[in-house]
Amino acid sequence: MTVSTEPSSSHHPPRPYWPVVIVVLLTLGIAAAAVWPRYFGPMARYQRGRDALISGDRVAVEHISESLIHTAGYEAHGWLLRGLLLMRSGKLQEATGCLGNAVEDESLAVEANYTAAQCFYRAGMYPQTVQAAQLALERDPDCLEARRWLASAYYDLGNLTHATVELARISAAAPDDPRPDRLLGLIAKDSEQFAKAIEYYRESLRRAPNQPEADAIRTEMAESHLKLGQFAEALAALRPCPRSAAVLTLEAECFNSTGDVEQSQARLRAALAVDPKYFPAKLMQGKVLLDEGKSDEAEKVLKEAVQLEPQNSQAHFQLSQALRRSEKITEADEELQKMQSIQAIHREFSDLHEDADARPGDVEVRYRIGDLAQKLGKPKLAILWYRAALSIDPNHAKSRAALQELSAAR
Amino acid sequence: MLKRWIVMVLLMVGCQPQPRTVEVSAPQVGSVSKTVAPVSSVISFLDRTKSAGVHFAYRNDEDHSDFAILESLGGGVAILDFDRDNVLDLFLPGGGVFHSPAIVGNSSALLRGSTNWRFADVAAEAGVVRSKYYNHGAAVADYNEDGFDDILITGYGGTTFYQNQGDGSFRDVELLDDRMWSSSAAWGDFNGDGVLDVYVAHYVDWSLDNHPLCAGPQGHPREVCPPRQFEGVTDVIYFGNGDGAMRNATTEAGLKPQGKGLGVVAADLDLDGDLDLYVTNDTVPNFLYMNTGNGAFDELALISGTAVSDLGTSDGSMGVDVGDYNQDGLPDLWVTNYERENNAMYRNLGKGLFRHVSRPIGIAALGARYVGWGTRFLDVDLDGDEDLIVANGHVIRFPQNTPRLQRPLVLENIDGARYGNVTDQAGEYLSAAHCGRGLATGDLDDDGDEDVVISNLNEPVAILSNETNSHHNWLTLRVIGRHSTRTAIGTVAVAKLGKVSLLRQIRGGSSFASTSDSKLHFGCGPVTRIDELTVTWISGACTILKDVACNQVLTIVEPATASN
C-alpha cells in the first residue's frame, strides 16, 4: 500500500489559521490576565505564604516573603510573613523588627501589632506587650487576640486591676471561651474575693464543663467555698474530681470544720496513702492530733511537715504548740521565732503585691517580690517576678543576677 | 412573780486557802457530761424596743461620706442600776460627727428602767447627755466605792468620766489624761491594793490629717480604709491612787507597744487570785497579759496560743468574753473576728496554755461570713452550760464577700462539747440582718434569765427579752466586795449541782465597748437546790454556802477578814 504525502489536491484554497490563533491567544491572554493575579500575583503569593506557614514549609515562606518585600506595594505583607516566621522560629527580637515594618500597611497593622505583642510577651517584655496590644486595639477595639495578650501582660506585671478589666471584656466578647473566667477566678481568689471567684469559676465550667482544666477549676472553687465557710458547697464542687491527695485533704478540712472528725480522719488517711509526703495533709494530721491532746504524736508528724515545707509558718506554729505542751520550751520558742520571721516576710510580700498593682513601672518592687518569693521557697514565682522586673528594665542587674542564679540552681 | 430574796450572808463556812496556781490536766473534748438539763428548750428572744418606747440609735455620721475609719467602730451598751432601785437601766453612747476640723460627740442616752419593759431617757436630768468626744464605749464600775455605778466613756480624742452623785445625777470629772482614740475599757483592781484601776484599749492613729484615700471595689471610687493602713496606738492602764485620782501606770505594768485594741476583758484566767487581761487587736496579734501579782504583767499571748488563729495568723479581733464553755473549771476565752476568720474559742488547757478549738466544737461550721463584734457568754435556756450570743455587722461600706448588714448569732452549748446555731428559731429581731456592734446582757425583767441589749450602727438599739420557756431553775448572785473592790471584778463563783460544777466569774470589760450587769447567773435545769456554792473573792477570801435554794437573787458580801 502506498501512502501519498502530497497535499490533497482539493479544490478549496487553504484558509488562513492565524485569526484563530489570535483569538485563542487573546482568549488565553484575557484568561491569564484574569487568573494570574489570583494565582501568581503578590496577594496570591502572600496567601500561599500564609498557607506555607501553617503547613510549616519554612523555605516557601522565606522565598515568598523575600519576593513580596521586593514587590512594590506589598512590602508590608512580606515583612508580616517574615515576622510570623521568625516568631515561630523563636527569633522574637528579629520578628518584632519585621513586624514593625508591617504596621506601615493599614490593612495589616492590627495583626502586625498583636503579633508583636505576642512576641514581646513571649520574650518577657511585658510593658512592650502592653504598648503593642494597645496599638492594635486602637485600630480595632474588637480584636480579641490583642486583648488576650494585653490581659496576660497586665497579669504578669502584677497589674491585676487592669488584667481583670481586660479579661472581663474578653469573656463578654467570646461567650464560649472558658479561659478568661478561669483566670478571673484565680485573680479574685488571690485577692481574697472568694464569692466573686466562685462566680467566675462557675461561669468557666458552664462554658466548658469538660475542659482540660475542669478539675483544677473545681478544686480552686472548693478552696474558695472553704474560705467562705461553705463546706457543703466545697464538698459538692470536689465530688467529680479524681481522688487526689489535694482533693482528699480539702474534703478532710470540710469535715473537720463541721466537726465530723471520723470522716475527716478517713479522708486524711486516704490523702496520705495517695501521697505520704503531701504537706497540707501532714499539717492537718498534726493539728488534729493536737486537738485530741496527743502532743507526742503531733510533734512527730509536725516535724515531718516542717521538713516538707520549711517556709510554712503554720507548721512552725503548730509544732511550737506541740513542743510547749511537752514542756520543750526552748525548742517551742525557736519554732515560734521561725514562724514570726516567716510571717514578717509574708506581710511584706503581700504589701508589695499591692504596690506592684498600683505602680506598673516599678522595677524595684518586682525585684523585691521575687527576692521574697525566693526566701519563701517559691522559686518558680520568683522567676516570674524577676522576669517582670527585667521586662521593665532589661539592665536591672540585681534581677538579672538573681534570675541567673536561680536558673543555674534549677 | 418570783420571789426575790436578798440574803446578807455572814454565816460563812471556812474554805481552803486559795491556791496560787491551779494545775488541771488537759481534758478531752466531750469527755464529761456537762449539762444539768438533758432536754433542750426552744431558745427565743422578743424584741421589746418599740414597746419599751426606745428609739435611740448610735449615729456614726457616715452620711457625710468621708469614709473615715472612725465611722466603722460604732458604739456599745452599758447595763447598770445607776439609781439603785433594783431595776436595771441602760446607758448608750451616741456616736458623733466629723466635720473638719472638728470631731464632736453626739448626745448619749441614759434609759431608766421601770417595770413592764418601759424605759425613759433621763440623760439630760442626770447630766450625761453631753458628750465632749465622738464616743464608742461605756465601761461601768463603782470607782469611788460609794455604792453607785460610775461611767467611763471611751471615744476619739479623749475619755469622759461621769461620777455618780447618788442622787440620780452624774458629775463630769477629769479622771484620765487620755487623748488617744479609745475603743473599750475594763475596770479591775490589777495591783491588788483595793482600789479600782482601768485598762483602756486604743485603736489606731487615724486623724483628719492622717486620712488617706482608699479605693473602693469596682463601681465605688472610695471605701473606708482598712486598719492596716494605720499604725496601732499603745494601750494605757491607769492605777487608782486611792484618793480619787488615777495615774498612768502603763510602763510599770509592762504593756506592749502598739496593738490595735478593740476589746478587752479583765478576769482571773489562771485562777491564781489576781486579775489578768486579754485584749483583742484588729489585724495584729491579741495580747494576753498575765498578772505577776502586783499589777505588773507578762504578755504571753503567743506562747499561750491566744495571740493568733489556728492558722497562726493574726485575726481582725473585736469582741471578747471569758466563760467556762466545757465546764472543766478553767476559764476559756471567746473572741469574735472578721469575716473569713472563725470566731475563736481558746480552750484553757491549764499551765498557761490554750488551744484554738473552733473547728472541733462546731464554731467553724457557722461559716466564716460574719464580722463579729459584741458578744457574751450567757446561759440562755438555764440548762447549766454557757451559750453564746454575738452581734455582727460589716465595717466597710461595700463588702464583696458578705453583706454589710448581718444577722446576729445565738449559739447553743450542747453538752459542753459543741455549739449549735439556733439563731433561726430565736425570734424576729435575731433572724434579721443588722449592723450590730455593742452587746450587753442582764436580767432586765428579773425573771431569772438574762436578756440582751444590742447597739447597731444608725439603727435603733435593740432590747431583747429572753422568752425561752425552759421552766428551768436558776440562781442569780450579786457579790459585794469589802477587801476586794466593791465591784469585786475577778471574783469566781462555783456552783455544785450533783456531779456538775458551774463556774462563773465577774469580768471587767468584755464584749465590745460594753458593760453587762455584774450579777452572776447560774442555770440550774430541773435542780431546785445547789449542793454547794463557793465564792472565791479576788482578795483571796472565800465564802462557801451549802444547800442553796434556786430561783432567788442572792446577795453575798465579802467576809470581814481577808483570809476566810
Side-chain angles (χ1 to χ4, degrees):
Chain A
M1 186 168 141
T2 306
V3 177
S4 169
T5 58
E6 289 294 309
S8 161
S9 57
S10 72
H11 304 286
H12 301 290
R15 285 183 183 167
Y17 62 88
W18 56 267
V20 176
V21 170
I22 286 170
V23 168
V24 169
L25 284 176
L26 268 174
T27 308
L28 283 173
I30 290 164
V35 170
W36 179 262
R38 191 179 297 171
Y39 292 101
F40 303 104
M43 277 311 288
R45 277 181 283 152
Y46 173 67
Q47 191 51 52
R48 281 209 307 279
R50 299 221 50 139
D51 293 342
L53 257 180
I54 292 166
S55 63
D57 187 349
R58 183 189 164 88
V59 177
V61 180
E62 271 176 4
H63 177 73
I64 293 169
S65 66
E66 182 65 23
S67 73
L68 286 171
I69 285 167
H70 293 103
T71 304
Y74 290 91
E75 299 92 333
H77 292 77
W79 287 119
L80 178 59
L81 268 183
R82 181 165 291 181
L84 287 165
L85 179 68
L86 288 166
M87 182 183 74
R88 290 186 180 203
S89 312
K91 295 174 180 169
L92 302 171
Q93 210 170 341
E94 293 170 50
T96 53
C98 297
L99 293 164
N101 295 330
V103 296
E104 301 299 324
D105 186 316
E106 190 59 30
S107 69
L108 302 178
V110 171
E111 187 181 0
N113 274 317
Y114 75 66
T115 308
Q118 185 180 358
C119 291
F120 286 129
Y121 182 80
R122 285 173 55 186
M125 299 163 75
Y126 307 129
Q128 292 84 343
T129 310
V130 170
Q131 279 180 346
Q134 281 175 336
L135 283 172
L137 287 166
E138 275 172 22
R139 288 186 165 88
D140 179 10
D142 296 329
C143 179
L144 271 185
E145 274 300 311
R147 221 169 269 292
R148 283 186 209 284
W149 294 116
L150 183 62
S152 302
Y154 278 142
Y155 183 76
D156 284 350
L157 276 167
N159 190 342
L160 300 183
T161 308
H162 283 102
T164 302
V165 171
E166 296 307 327
L167 286 165
R169 285 178 178 160
I170 298 166
S171 172
D176 294 328
D177 188 348
R179 294 170 298 174
D181 285 273
R182 193 267 163 96
L183 193 50
L184 280 167
L186 202 56
I187 291 172
K189 182 167 163 274
D190 286 348
S191 312
E192 302 195 333
Q193 296 183 1
F194 300 107
K196 254 190 184 170
I198 290 164
E199 280 177 35
Y200 289 130
Y201 288 136
R202 277 209 186 109
E203 177 59 18
S204 180
L205 287 170
R206 188 194 65 74
R207 291 180 180 197
N210 299 317
Q211 59 182 293
E213 294 292 305
D215 287 333
I217 293 171
R218 288 191 181 99
T219 308
E220 286 164 20
M221 190 156 82
E223 286 168 352
S224 302
H225 279 303
L226 253 173
K227 289 285 183 186
L228 293 175
Q230 298 166 344
F231 306 110
E233 291 88 340
L235 286 170
L238 292 170
R239 207 160 290 138
C241 298
R243 310 281 81 196
S244 65
V247 166
L248 287 161
T249 307
L250 283 173
E251 288 183 347
E253 202 175 333
C254 291
F255 286 119
N256 182 255
S257 298
T258 50
D260 191 341
V261 179
E262 210 171 293
Q263 287 274 18
S264 172
Q265 287 182 337
R267 295 296 199 286
L268 269 187
R269 280 194 298 273
L272 288 167
V274 172
D275 181 357
K277 292 191 170 179
Y278 186 60
F279 169 77
K282 214 38 133 184
L283 175 63
M284 197 175 158
Q285 193 187 31
K287 284 163 74 172
V288 170
L289 287 166
L290 262 180
D291 286 341
E292 292 173 340
K294 298 171 182 169
S295 311
D296 293 343
E297 287 174 61
E299 182 187 325
K300 183 173 167 281
V301 170
L302 290 166
K303 277 184 172 165
E304 288 170 15
V306 161
Q307 276 196 329
L308 288 170
E309 276 202 20
Q311 300 303 326
N312 186 289
S313 66
Q314 234 192 104
H316 290 288
F317 174 62
Q318 296 295 339
L319 179 56
S320 82
Q321 293 214 325
L323 290 163
R324 203 169 297 281
R325 280 208 223 164
S326 308
E327 298 187 356
K328 297 173 183 173
I329 306 301
T330 312
E331 283 179 73
D333 287 345
E334 283 170 7
E335 292 302 324
L336 263 189
Q337 256 181 348
K338 284 178 193 165
M339 168 197 131
Q340 285 176 304
S341 58
I342 293 167
Q343 283 187 346
I345 296 173
H346 269 291
R347 271 194 297 278
E348 192 184 350
F349 189 65
S350 168
D351 291 345
L352 286 173
H353 274 77
E354 283 180 22
D355 293 346
D357 188 30
R359 299 202 294 271
D362 195 326
V363 185
E364 276 301 322
V365 165
R366 282 155 180 79
Y367 164 73
R368 183 76 188 129
I369 297 176
D371 186 41
L372 293 176
Q374 215 174 327
K375 284 183 180 150
L376 290 170
K378 298 175 177 177
K380 283 183 189 169
L381 196 60
I383 287 171
L384 289 177
W385 282 103
Y386 290 140
R387 281 188 183 151
L390 288 168
S391 77
I392 297 166
D393 177 8
N395 300 318
H396 193 256
K398 286 187 286 185
S399 296
R400 191 159 294 287
L403 195 57
Q404 276 168 357
E405 193 184 311
L406 263 179
S407 304
R410 284 162 69 84
Chain B
M1 176 130 174
L2 290 165
K3 189 174 178 184
R4 188 177 181 122
W5 295 357
I6 308 295
V7 180
M8 300 296 286
V9 177
L10 293 170
L11 36 121
M12 274 73 64
V13 183
C15 51
Q16 300 298 313
Q18 181 68 10
R20 294 300 295 170
T21 56
V22 177
E23 295 204 355
V24 179
S25 60
Q28 299 295 303
V29 174
S31 60
V32 187
S33 177
K34 304 296 185 188
T35 185
V36 290
V39 181
S40 68
S41 315
V42 176
I43 286 173
S44 164
F45 286 87
L46 181 65
D47 186 355
R48 300 269 189 182
T49 315
K50 277 186 187 162
S51 62
V54 174
H55 310 284
F56 185 85
Y58 181 97
R59 302 279 170 197
N60 67 349
D61 197 29
E62 69 179 33
D63 300 338
H64 205 63
S65 287
D66 262 356
F67 293 91
I69 191 172
L70 179 61
E71 72 187 47
S72 61
L73 257 56
V77 174
I79 298 182
L80 70 167
D81 180 9
F82 81 95
D83 51 2
R84 290 189 62 176
D85 63 352
N86 288 324
V87 179
L88 290 175
D89 314 303
L90 308 176
F91 180 82
L92 304 165
V97 291
F98 41 98
H99 298 293
S100 183
I103 299 173
V104 294
N106 288 335
S107 301
S108 302
L110 179 63
L111 305 180
R112 186 168 60 206
S114 57
T115 52
N116 298 323
W117 291 99
R118 297 295 300 176
F119 289 88
D121 191 348
V122 296
E125 300 95 293
V128 294
V129 71
R130 191 176 77 92
S131 185
K132 286 178 282 190
Y133 308 108
Y134 188 113
N135 51 57
H136 298 298
V140 172
D142 179 7
Y143 171 64
N144 55 355
E145 305 277 316
D146 65 353
F148 289 92
D149 283 336
D150 309 303
I151 306 170
L152 176 71
I153 305 170
T154 60
Y156 185 88
T159 56
T160 305
F161 181 69
Y162 282 120
Q163 188 172 296
N164 195 330
Q165 302 299 292
D167 58 359
S169 72
F170 290 79
R171 192 163 61 95
D172 184 349
V173 173
E174 284 292 329
L175 186 67
L176 310 180
D177 61 352
D178 184 6
R179 292 289 172 267
M180 309 309 285
W181 182 5
S182 54
S183 51
S184 294
W187 292 96
D189 179 9
F190 300 113
N191 56 358
D193 62 356
V195 179
L196 270 180
D197 314 309
V198 68
Y199 184 102
V200 182
H202 287 153
Y203 194 41
V204 297
D205 67 348
W206 175 87
S207 69
L208 287 171
D209 297 327
N210 182 21
H211 181 33
L213 192 149
C214 291
Q218 223 170 349
H220 303 285
R222 204 161 175 196
E223 179 55 287
V224 174
C225 290
R228 62 192 153 86
Q229 197 82 30
F230 305 96
E231 293 295 317
V233 178
T234 304
D235 298 341
V236 63
I237 195 166
Y238 292 90
F239 285 171
N241 294 330
D243 58 359
M246 299 195 101
R247 66 180 189 279
N248 187 330
T250 306
T251 308
E252 67 185 273
L255 299 193
K256 275 183 85 169
Q258 302 218 322
K260 297 178 182 179
L262 285 177
V264 55
V265 63
D268 185 0
L269 291 169
D270 51 0
L271 301 178
D272 66 347
D274 53 33
L275 270 180
D276 309 303
L277 282 157
Y278 185 79
V279 184
T280 51
N281 287 318
D282 198 357
T283 69
V284 295
N286 297 329
F287 297 146
L288 174 65
Y289 288 113
M290 300 307 288
N291 200 327
T292 57
N294 55 0
F297 294 92
D298 289 331
E299 202 288 297
L300 300 173
L302 202 55
I303 287 170
S304 67
T306 57
V308 290
S309 72
D310 59 338
L311 306 177
T313 51
S314 301
D315 284 332
S317 298
M318 270 80 85
V320 61
D321 200 14
V322 169
D324 181 14
Y325 88 91
N326 58 345
Q327 292 171 26
D328 64 352
L330 295 173
D332 309 302
L333 280 162
W334 166 248
V335 177
T336 58
N337 289 319
Y338 196 64
E339 68 174 6
R340 302 197 312 273
E341 301 162 351
N342 292 316
N343 290 337
M345 183 71 81
Y346 295 103
R347 190 176 75 207
N348 194 334
L349 306 174
K351 299 180 182 175
L353 298 181
F354 290 77
R355 177 76 183 156
H356 188 293
V357 292
S358 295
R359 284 177 206 277
I361 69 168
I363 298 298
L366 298 169
R369 54 184 179 270
Y370 300 99
V371 178
W373 289 87
T375 187
R376 284 284 286 186
F377 279 105
L378 76 168
D379 185 354
V380 180
D381 50 358
L382 300 174
D383 65 349
D385 53 31
E386 290 179 282
D387 310 303
L388 284 163
I389 186 160
V390 184
N392 297 307
H394 223 298
V395 290
I396 54 175
R397 300 273 195 94
F398 314 111
Q400 298 296 294
N401 289 315
T402 51
R404 185 166 193 223
L405 303 184
Q406 303 182 350
R407 295 170 57 188
L409 281 169
V410 184
L411 306 175
E412 186 181 9
N413 191 327
I414 303 163
D415 206 22
R418 287 184 61 74
Y419 277 92
N421 185 356
V422 294
T423 314
D424 279 344
Q425 64 181 51
E428 200 177 332
Y429 175 86
L430 294 164
S431 300
H434 310 274
C435 208
R437 291 295 188 265
L439 181 153
T441 56
D443 184 1
L444 295 170
D445 56 355
D446 280 332
D447 65 351
D449 57 29
E450 285 185 270
D451 309 296
V452 177
V453 182
I454 298 177
S455 170
N456 298 298
L457 270 190
N458 308 313
E459 175 193 333
V461 64
I463 301 170
L464 308 174
S465 73
N466 186 345
E467 300 291 321
T468 306
N469 189 13
S470 64
H471 304 295
H472 288 156
N473 300 305
W474 52 272
L475 176 76
T476 300
L477 189 62
R478 171 190 283 136
V479 299
I480 299 172
R482 294 169 86 177
H483 294 283
S484 310
T485 61
R486 192 178 167 85
T487 316
I489 291 163
T491 293
V492 175
V494 177
K496 280 191 182 165
L497 298 91
K499 290 178 181 174
V500 177
S501 290
L502 311 179
L503 181 145
R504 303 286 186 268
Q505 183 170 174
I506 300 175
R507 291 90 88 191
S510 84
S511 187
F512 164 72
S514 299
T515 303
S516 293
D517 180 33
S518 60
K519 290 191 282 293
L520 299 175
H521 295 265
F522 295 89
C524 303
V527 177
T528 56
R529 301 193 78 82
I530 291 169
D531 300 333
E532 185 177 281
L533 180 66
T534 305
V535 178
T536 305
W537 301 85
I538 193 67
S539 65
C542 187
T543 303
I544 296 179
L545 303 176
K546 302 274 190 187
D547 193 25
V548 177
C550 291
N551 304 324
Q552 62 166 320
V553 179
L554 183 65
T555 299
I556 301 181
V557 179
E558 187 176 11
T561 53
S563 58
N564 269 340

